[in-house]
Amino acid sequence: MDTIKGTFIAFEGIDGSGKSTQVRMLDERMKKEKIYCHTTMEPTDSPIGSLIHQIMTGRIKTDNKVISALFVADRLDHLLNDVDGIVHKINEGITVITDRYYFSSYAYQSVDMPMEQVISANKQSSDILRPTVTLFIDIPPDVAIERITKNRSHQELFEERSRLIQVRERYFEAFDRLNDTEKVIIIDGDRDAQEIADDIWEVVRDSVPLRQV
Ligand code: ADP
Ligand code: TYD
């Protein structure tokens, strides 16, 4: 008999789309339904992930190609590390929910380099584990900006806005490109958080073979 494997759910969206909120709400719902699950995120809090955070906050300067490669390495460690790697958990039958996975690289890193290159750099991860379903929380970049900005200068807001517009477009380009191999569900994120959570629960319950333990 085949070993039962856990389900792997990836949340994606531009910054401020409400991913972390929805990951938390789905986790609570799963626990209420007595479904054994583990939530996680990228960048991770591993040494590679903390290097990424230091680069993103400007404490360490490097080239965008290096950041892209670090995301690849962080993701592989996220999948494969012995302590709490995703693959290990999935093989134990645990449902894993991640806040960002390789579509984040496809969308964000492809602003600075060809998307094909980013997809190919992440091939090891996509070969090891594809999400059972990717949930893309879609909100207009202006709404995201409203949610995430406090005490920021006009120039910063302008740069942030144009970056988020580009990233959102890249997400849709990546979904189109990988339409044949990836299951992606677009969720309208510009609504009340509970309404979104209820929709997500419908998708997760209906399209993912959840097993209770
Ligand atoms: P992300 O993880 O995608 O960056 P968060 O879940 O951290 O997004 O949400 C960003 C901000 O927006 C937080 O202040 C959060 O409380 C708020 N927020 C999340 N979901 C909603 C929603 N549906 N409506 C209004 N505000 C929201
Ligand atoms: P984080 O502070 O976790 O933001 P959020 O709450 O919006 O997820 O930082 C994640 C940032 O890293 C976010 O701006 C997206 C970016 N990122 C990439 O550029 N590539 C990637 O592969 C990943 C996983 C994240």
Side-chain angles (χ1 to χ4, degrees), residues 15 19 42-43 56 71 75 100 104-105 108-109 163:
D15 306 59
K19 288 176 284 73
E42 292 184 6
M56 294 185 73
F71 276 119
R75 185 160 297 126
R100 297 194 181 281
S104 284
S105 282
Y108 284 81
Q109 274 59 63
R163 192 177 71 95

Side-chain angles (χ1 to χ4, degrees), residues 3-38:
T3 327
I4 294 175
K5 292 222 167 35
T7 299
F8 182 39
I9 302 167
F11 277 79
E12 294 285 355
I14 59 174
D15 306 59
S17 57
K19 288 176 284 73
S20 320
T21 304
Q22 292 303 323
V23 166
R24 183 177 45 74
M25 291 176 89
L26 180 58
D27 182 48
E28 283 165 9
R29 182 69 196 246
M30 294 256 199
K31 298 220 155 97
K32 216 159 109 189
E33 304 283 338
K34 305 222 174 346
I35 294 160
Y36 199 24
C37 71
H38 168 78

Side-chain angles (χ1 to χ4, degrees), residues 81-208:
N81 86 72
D82 278 348
V83 184
D84 60 355
I86 295 173
V87 169
H88 187 61
K89 297 216 179 283
I90 295 281
N91 286 340
E92 283 182 332
I94 298 170
T95 289
V96 176
I97 306 169
T98 185
D99 186 342
R100 297 194 181 281
Y101 192 48
Y102 49 60
F103 271 110
S104 284
S105 282
Y106 302 166
Y108 284 81
Q109 274 59 63
S110 74
V111 172
D112 303 307
M113 63 184 74
M115 189 182 290
E116 205 52 58
Q117 212 169 298
V118 186
I119 293 174
S120 125
N122 278 278
K123 189 166 182 307
Q124 284 188 87
S125 294
S126 58
D127 283 350
I128 294 167
L129 189 64
R130 283 183 202 284
T132 315
V133 63
T134 295
L135 297 162
F136 179 73
I137 314 289
D138 190 29
I139 64 166
D142 282 335
V143 176
I145 294 285
E146 241 171 71
R147 287 187 191 171
I148 60 184
T149 52
K150 285 181 198 118
N151 310 318
R152 298 244 215 126
S153 74
H154 284 309
Q155 183 56 29
E156 269 180 338
L157 292 189
F158 177 76
E159 284 166 9
E160 184 76 2
R161 182 175 183 275
S162 65
R163 192 177 71 95
L164 291 185
I165 290 170
Q166 282 187 73
V167 170
R168 180 172 177 273
E169 284 168 2
R170 300 298 161 133
Y171 264 119
F172 282 105
E173 191 186 324
F175 298 150
D176 265 3
R177 250 175 212 256
L178 300 167
N179 189 27
D180 290 346
T181 46
E182 301 281 348
K183 176 168 180 170
V184 177
I185 306 276
I186 315 282
I187 306 281
D188 175 5
D190 191 8
R191 294 177 292 160
D192 172 74
Q194 187 58 54
E195 240 179 87
I196 302 167
D198 290 345
D199 266 15
I200 288 174
W201 178 246
E202 291 295 307
V203 172
V204 168
R205 198 184 51 189
D206 290 352
S207 73
V208 180

